[in-house]
Amino acid sequence: EEEAETETVASSGFYADTGGGYSGGGSYGSSGGAEEEKVYRQPKLTLESNSLSGVRLQAGSKNEFVTVFQNRSQSETVYNLSVSLKAADDSISLSASSFYFDQVAPQDQITIAAIAEAAANAGQKKVSVTFTFDYENVKGTTYSSTQEVSLDIDQPAQVILESFELADRVYAM
């Protein structure tokens, strides 16, 4: 079994202040001996890189969208990690929207890859993609967190001419 990021907390039933304050007061039903309880910290996943950062997606184009997230905990492994992706609107569609990882060790990274397609009729704007993480720690405590990534869509100016005709002869002066 792995070591979890913990703090030892005395659960003897009384308050002890080493700063000179109150340091006694009864056992609150404990059997006298101090028991130690481990406090588990929530591991955090943070965005490390995004392949489309600073890239303007052309409306109607498909681009590889690769993100890397890191488990920032020094000692907590993330278990049963489920990652869901959702674009804020129909301007962006993703080739895959859910991913699963059995575990992510402390300081390890995961890579999530999908194809992001900007709709042909999308206006020039930023569109958020939300990553939702559902996972557990070593004790089975469940956690949920989200991160957002903004993608820029560029809609080039276009002119469509209808019923345009050139004269048979052009005279210049």
Side-chain angles (χ1 to χ4, degrees):
E1 188 165 281
E2 87 180 68
E3 278 289 306
E5 188 170 337
T6 63
E7 287 182 13
T8 302
V9 177
S11 59
S12 62
F14 63 89
Y15 175 80
D17 181 355
T18 58
Y22 180 74
S23 63
S27 67
Y28 296 105
S30 76
S31 58
E35 298 174 15
E36 292 184 359
E37 178 181 320
K38 289 186 177 185
V39 176
Y40 292 84
R41 301 289 178 208
Q42 176 181 355
K44 303 278 192 221
L45 295 160
T46 59
L47 178 67
E48 293 300 307
S49 66
N50 161 15
S51 65
L52 296 178
S53 178
V55 174
R56 297 195 65 79
L57 306 176
Q58 295 298 313
S61 70
K62 292 182 181 181
N63 297 274
E64 186 174 27
F65 180 35
V66 179
T67 52
V68 176
F69 292 89
Q70 182 173 8
N71 176 0
R72 285 301 189 174
S73 176
Q74 294 295 320
S75 60
E76 282 277 329
T77 296
V78 169
Y79 294 95
N80 297 320
L81 173 61
S82 173
V83 183
S84 301
L85 282 65
K86 182 166 178 34
D89 63 33
D90 293 340
S91 299
I92 295 283
S93 62
L94 301 165
S95 63
S97 62
S98 89
F99 301 85
Y100 177 81
F101 300 88
D102 185 47
Q103 65 182 23
V104 183
Q107 299 297 305
D108 273 2
Q109 296 180 337
I110 58 169
T111 300
I112 297 172
I115 300 297
E117 182 174 1
N121 62 350
Q124 187 161 323
K125 63 180 173 178
K126 286 187 180 293
V127 176
S128 292
V129 175
T130 301
F131 290 76
T132 302
F133 302 96
D134 294 307
Y135 55 98
E136 299 173 351
N137 69 4
V138 70
K139 289 183 72 173
T141 304
T142 58
Y143 299 103
S144 186
S145 64
T146 60
Q147 295 227 353
E148 286 193 6
V149 173
S150 291
L151 302 179
D152 294 316
I153 299 176
D154 193 25
Q155 179 63 266
Q158 298 178 20
V159 176
I160 299 174
L161 299 174
E162 293 183 15
S163 301
F164 179 75
E165 293 182 32
L166 285 176
D168 290 340
R169 293 186 188 167
V170 177
Y171 297 98
M173 292 191 192

